Amino acid sequence: MTLEEAATGLDVVLVAGADVRDGRPPRPPVARRLAELGLRAGAPVRIQNRTSGGGAIVAVGEDRIALSRDILRAVRVEPASAPTPAPGGRATQPGPERRDG
Amino acid sequence: MAEPTSCHDEHVGTVPQGMPVVALVGSPNSGKSTLFNALTGVGRAVGNYPGTSVEVGSGRWADPSFGQVALTDLPGAYSLAPMSPDEALTAELLAGDGHLDAVVIVCDAVHLGRSLVLAAHVRMLAVRCVVALTMTDVAARRGIAIDDQVLSERLGAPVVRLDPRRRDVSGLARAVAGALVEPPMHPLALPTGVPTGCTAACPPGCAACPPTTAAALTASLTDDDLAVAEAVFAWVSATVDAATRRTHEARRTWTDRVDRWVTAPVVGPSIFLAVMWAVFVLTTTVAAPLQDGLDALFTGPITEAAGAILTAIGLGDGLLAGFVVDGLIAGVGMLLTFVPLMAIMFVLLALLEDSGYMARAAVVTDRLMGRLGLPGRAFLPLIVGFGCNVPAITAVRVLPDARHRLLTSLLVPFTSCSARLTVYVLVAAAFFPESAGTVVFALYVSSIVLVVLGGLLLRSTLIRSLGHEPLVLDLPPYQRPSVRLLGAATWTRLRGFLATASGIIVATVAVVWALGVIPAPGSGAGLGDVPAGESLYAWLARGLSALFIPAGFAEWHAVGALIVGFVAKEAVISSWAQTYPAGTDLPDALVADLGASSGGHPQAAAIAFLVFLLAYTPCVATLATQRRQIGGRWTAVGVAMQLAMAWLLAVLVFQVGTALP
C-alpha cells in the first residue's frame, strides 16, 4: 500500500524510498531530501494525523515531517512486522498504539 | 585595532586580517541560531551575503582560550546536496578555498539521525570540525541517551554537549581553540559503498580519499546512482545505533496533540486565519496610534522648536530654515514613524518562528498557495502588505528559499496598503458619489488579481527556475520563545532597517522639498518664494503628464500627486491641498481638471488614475526595504515592472472606459 492508504496511528515500514520514475512528482531531489529526513527503505513510520489539504504529519522516530498528498502517494509501505495482523485487519485497531500517559 | 561593532549589510561577510574564521552549520531548527546569538552577544549583524539574497549572520566570538574569532552563521541546511539557494550558499562557503579555519557542526540530540547526515557530509571535507550537541536535555526527557564518546569516535571529531539556554559555552570554546592549532582534519572515510583505500595516515587530499571539496562532494551526492548518498545513510544509521540508547519508550508529546488540531482540516485553516487577523490588526490598528503620535511630535513640537531656534539665531525665514524643517526634520520624522510598526512586525515574526507555529502555517496554506505557485508561508507577507508594504517585505524572510523571497518581495508592492486607501476614498467619492464603496472594493479585488498576474508573469519570465515542489517540511516541536532572544533579534533587525532605510528616505523627502521651492525655468519668481504652479515640481509634472495622455489624466496636479506618491502615498492628498489655491473645493477641482484632460470622460480617467496609483511603486520606504532584502538590481527590476504594469493597465482602463457607451 502507499503511505496515503495507511491508517492513521498504524506502525508501518517503508518498502522503498519515494518512487520517482516516469516523471511524476516528486522529482529525484525531493526523494533525496525525504531520505535525508529519515524516510528511507526500512524506516519505521506512522501517520500521526491528516492535515488540511490532503497531506499528513508523519512520525519517523522523534521527527515529525509534514508531507503533501503527492508524496504520500509516492511512498510504498507495509505494516510493521511485530503485531502480525489477524484476518480482519486488527492491526488498524489502536491497541498497540496506546502509549499515552 | 578591532573593528567596532557594525550593523551595516555591507559588513556581513567581511573579516579583519588575521582573525580566524569559524562557521556554524546545522540543519534548520537544530538550535544553531540560538547558539550563534549566545556566542556573539551584541556585536553581530544579520544581512544578505554579498551578491545574494541569502541571509547570514556574522559576529565576533571572544573567549580567553582563543582570543577572538569571526563567527559566521551559515544558512540552515539538511545536507550538502542543496535544494535551495540558501543551502547552496552553505555548500559554496564550505567549499571556499580554505578560508574557513574551523566549522562547528550543530547536531540536535533529539533528531540525531537527521543532524548526522549533514555532519557526515561536512566531515567528508578536509576542514577542522567540532561537533556541538544541542537539546540533550529534551532528548533525555524523551528517553534518548547519547554516548558522546562513541559519537566522537565515529565522527572523528570532538563532541561537546551544550545547553545554550544556560549560556555555558566554555567547553565548546576550548574544543574550537584545540582544533584551530591542529592541521585540517583528514576527511571521514565511509566504511561502506565508496571505494576508498584510505588509512588514517593518508595526507589530506589523497586520491583514494572521499571528496575534499564541497563542490566535488555535492556532485557525488547528487549523482544519479546515489552510491555516496546511500553510503552516508548507512553510516548514519549505524552511528545512531551505536551511539544512542533508549532509556524508555517515547510517548506522544503535547506537540503531537496540539498539531492534531492546528494542522487539521477546517480547524487548522481557521486558527491560521485568526493568527493572520491578529498580525494584521497589530501591524495596523495597534501600530497606527504610535505612528500618529510620532508624526504629531515631529510636525508639532519638534518642527516648532526647530523654527524657534532658527528664528532666534536669525535664520527664521530663509531657505535654510525651510530645508531643515520641511526637508530634514520631515524626512527623519517619516523614517521614525516606521519604527514602532517595524518593531511590532519583528517581534511578531520572531514569535511565530521561534514558537514553531510558522511551520504549521506553511502546512495549512500549502495547497491554496501552491495553486498560485507560491509556498504556504508567502501568505503572511502578502496579508501584512494590505496594512503596510514595508514590514511585509521584511516578513518574506520566513520563506526558506531565496527564490521564493525574491518572488514574494516583488509581489508585495501590488498588495494595496492602507495609505492608498485614503486616496481611493477621496477620489471615488468625488467621481462616483453613488457607488464609491463599490469602486474601492473593486480596487482591492484588482490588487489580488495583480498579485496573481504578477506572480505568473515573473515565474514565466525572470524567475523560471522555480518549480512547485510538493511539501516536505520538518516540524520543530513547539516551544516557548525566550524573551531575551526575542528582544535581541528585534533590536538587531530594527537597527539594520534604520541603517539601510534612513539615507534613502531622508534624501528623497529633501529632494521633493527642493523641487517645490526652486522656480521652474523661465519663471520670474525667486528661489524659495515660488507659487506652486511655477515651481520646478509643477514644471516637471507638466512635462511628465504627456506620458499620461492615453490614460486620460495628463494634468499636472494629478501627475504631480503621483510624483510625491512615489515618496509616500500619505503625501498625495496633501500635495493637492498645497497645489490648489486655498479655498478650492478639492473634489470639484479634481472632477473639472480630469474632465478637461480626458476629453469629457472624467470617470474613466479617475478609474485609470486609481489603477495606476494601485499598481505603481508604493513608497521609497518600500524600495529601501526591498533593496535590503533582494538587492538594488532586483529592486530596480521591480520598479520597472510596477511602472510598466501600472501604465499599461491605466491606458487599458481609460481606453475601454471611453469606448463604452
Side-chain angles (χ1 to χ4, degrees):
Chain A
M1 61 182 164
T2 66
L3 196 48
E4 197 197 12
E5 292 154 355
T8 304
L10 176 69
D11 281 309
V12 293
V13 173
L14 250 67
V15 175
D19 183 0
V20 294
R21 282 165 303 172
D22 63 17
R24 283 177 307 161
R27 298 184 303 118
V30 180
R32 199 174 56 236
R33 178 51 44 90
L34 289 170
E36 286 166 2
L37 289 172
L39 288 160
R40 309 190 268 269
V45 299
R46 183 175 60 232
I47 299 263
Q48 203 70 25
N49 66 277
R50 306 277 165 179
T51 58
S52 174
I57 296 179
V58 173
V60 190
E62 294 297 312
D63 296 5
R64 299 291 179 270
I65 300 159
L67 300 174
S68 64
R69 183 182 264 174
D70 307 350
I71 306 260
L72 296 179
R73 282 182 183 155
V75 175
R76 296 204 66 79
V77 295
E78 60 188 19
S81 54
T84 313
R90 279 189 51 232
T92 57
Q93 296 299 312
E97 296 309 312
R98 291 189 62 89
R99 288 171 189 152
D100 254 7
Chain B
M1 188 190 77
E3 203 181 58
T5 57
S6 73
C7 51
H8 293 266
D9 286 5
E10 293 71 29
H11 292 256
V12 169
T14 61
V15 174
Q17 284 283 313
M19 185 183 284
V21 182
V22 176
L24 284 181
V25 295
S27 48
N29 312 319
S30 60
K32 178 175 64 68
S33 294
T34 312
L35 177 62
F36 174 72
N37 289 339
L39 296 179
T40 52
V42 287
R44 65 169 171 270
V46 176
N48 288 351
Y49 193 79
T52 70
S53 49
V54 178
E55 201 174 65
V56 295
S58 67
R60 307 269 181 272
W61 176 21
D63 191 274
S65 55
F66 50 67
Q68 222 183 25
V69 298
L71 195 66
T72 306
D73 184 20
L74 295 182
Y78 290 106
S79 76
L80 294 187
M83 276 193 69
S84 70
D86 307 63
E87 290 188 325
L89 180 70
T90 297
E92 201 182 304
L93 292 182
L94 286 168
D97 38 19
H99 79 284
L100 289 179
D101 295 292
V103 174
V104 175
I105 309 171
V106 182
C107 283
D108 167 359
V110 181
H111 309 285
L112 189 62
R114 180 200 306 157
S115 298
L116 284 179
V117 173
L118 177 68
H121 289 175
V122 176
R123 277 293 292 118
M124 290 164 83
L125 305 169
V127 15
R128 300 175 189 92
C129 291
V130 172
V131 174
L133 197 58
T134 59
M135 315 225 184
T136 46
D137 50 338
V138 184
R141 262 182 270 133
R142 299 214 188 157
I144 304 165
I146 293 177
D147 187 333
D148 303 13
Q149 193 60 43
V150 173
L151 196 56
S152 171
E153 279 161 15
R154 300 270 314 175
L155 277 162
V159 172
V160 182
R161 202 172 261 265
L162 48 87
D163 177 5
R165 280 165 197 264
R166 242 171 251 142
R167 310 191 76 178
D168 179 21
V169 288
S170 56
L172 183 63
R174 281 193 301 276
V176 169
L180 282 172
V181 296
E182 298 283 328
M185 285 175 173
H186 189 255
L188 185 68
L190 293 171
T192 50
V194 188
T196 168
C198 285
T199 65
C202 278
C206 88
C209 274
T212 56
T213 71
L217 179 59
T218 297
S220 69
L221 288 173
T222 50
D223 195 50
D224 276 346
D225 74 359
L226 292 176
V228 179
E230 295 289 351
V232 171
F233 295 146
W235 179 89
V236 166
S237 298
T239 305
V240 171
D241 288 346
T244 59
R245 194 165 46 82
R246 277 223 95 96
T247 54
H248 56 265
E249 203 45 51
R251 341 176 231 112
R252 278 177 79 100
T253 59
W254 68 274
T255 290
D256 291 333
R257 281 180 221 142
V258 172
D259 273 343
R260 268 172 69 181
W261 293 102
V262 169
T263 62
V266 186
V267 182
S270 311
I271 293 174
F272 172 75
L273 288 178
V275 171
M276 286 303 109
W277 180 81
V279 169
F280 187 75
V281 166
L282 285 166
T283 52
T284 51
T285 328
V286 174
L290 295 168
Q291 287 180 281
D292 293 346
L294 274 173
D295 190 44
L297 182 69
F298 270 83
T299 50
I302 292 187
T303 299
E304 282 162 23
I309 292 170
L310 287 165
T311 308
I313 57 174
L315 294 166
D317 284 328
L319 214 49
L320 182 70
F323 173 71
V324 170
V325 173
D326 298 326
L328 287 186
I329 293 183
V332 172
M334 178 174 153
L335 174 72
L336 288 185
T337 57
F338 281 106
V339 167
L341 176 63
M342 299 304 275
I344 291 174
M345 189 73 231
F346 290 137
V347 169
L348 288 175
L349 284 177
L351 268 178
L352 289 172
E353 284 193 290
D354 294 356
S355 64
Y357 181 73
M358 194 60 83
R360 277 69 184 185
V363 173
V364 168
T365 47
D366 180 67
R367 189 125 177 249
L368 173 71
M369 295 302 281
R371 293 197 181 135
L372 306 181
L374 284 167
R377 284 176 222 228
F379 210 90
L380 175 87
L382 293 175
I383 286 281
V384 172
F386 282 94
C388 177
N389 289 181
V390 179
I393 286 170
T394 63
V396 304
R397 71 182 182 81
V398 302
L399 298 164
D401 185 319
R403 292 164 301 186
H404 288 141
R405 288 197 293 274
L406 174 60
L407 179 60
T408 314
S409 296
L410 291 174
L411 293 180
V412 162
F414 292 125
T415 59
S416 183
C417 66
S418 56
R420 276 171 256 191
L421 178 62
T422 54
V423 188
Y424 299 164
V425 170
L426 181 105
V427 174
F431 288 82
F432 303 89
E434 303 299 315
S435 49
T438 313
V439 170
V440 173
F441 179 73
L443 284 164
Y444 273 87
V445 174
S446 310
S447 165
I448 297 168
V449 173
L450 274 175
V451 170
V452 174
L453 285 181
L456 291 177
L457 184 72
L458 283 167
R459 284 167 57 87
S460 59
T461 52
L462 298 170
I463 314 177
R464 291 173 82 160
S465 68
L466 203 57
H468 181 63
E469 300 289 0
L471 180 79
V472 176
L473 186 63
D474 151 44
L475 298 176
Y478 290 107
Q479 56 181 357
R480 195 175 50 207
S482 132
V483 175
R484 192 169 51 81
L485 290 176
L486 205 74
T490 303
W491 171 235
T492 305
R493 291 185 184 281
L494 200 56
R495 213 172 48 176
F497 166 75
L498 287 174
T500 337
S502 54
I504 300 178
I505 293 176
V506 176
T508 318
V509 172
V511 166
V512 170
W513 168 81
L515 289 176
V517 296
I518 300 173
S523 160
L527 190 64
D529 189 26
V530 199
E534 288 177 36
S535 66
L536 194 56
Y537 167 79
W539 181 79
L540 207 65
R542 283 198 189 93
L544 284 175
S545 63
L547 287 172
F548 296 100
I549 293 171
F553 54 88
E555 196 281 319
W556 81 266
H557 292 94
V559 175
L562 293 177
I563 298 176
V564 297
F566 191 92
V567 180
K569 293 288 173 286
E570 289 87 347
V572 168
I573 293 173
S574 62
S575 88
W576 283 331
Q578 283 161 10
T579 53
Y580 281 108
T584 312
D585 181 78
L586 192 52
D588 287 352
L590 287 173
V591 174
D593 276 348
L594 285 198
S597 70
S598 63
H601 296 91
Q603 292 191 326
I607 295 282
F609 177 80
L610 288 176
V611 165
F612 191 93
L613 189 97
L614 162 64
Y616 89 122
T617 312
C619 62
V620 284
T622 302
L623 295 185
T625 319
Q626 262 185 335
R627 188 172 148 256
R628 178 170 168 77
Q629 191 64 245
I630 59 176
R633 196 183 299 168
W634 278 110
T635 304
V637 168
V639 171
M641 183 177 83
Q642 292 146 14
L643 292 176
M645 280 179 80
W647 188 83
L648 285 171
L649 288 171
V651 170
L652 182 75
V653 164
F654 182 69
Q655 295 302 333
V656 171
T658 49
L660 293 175

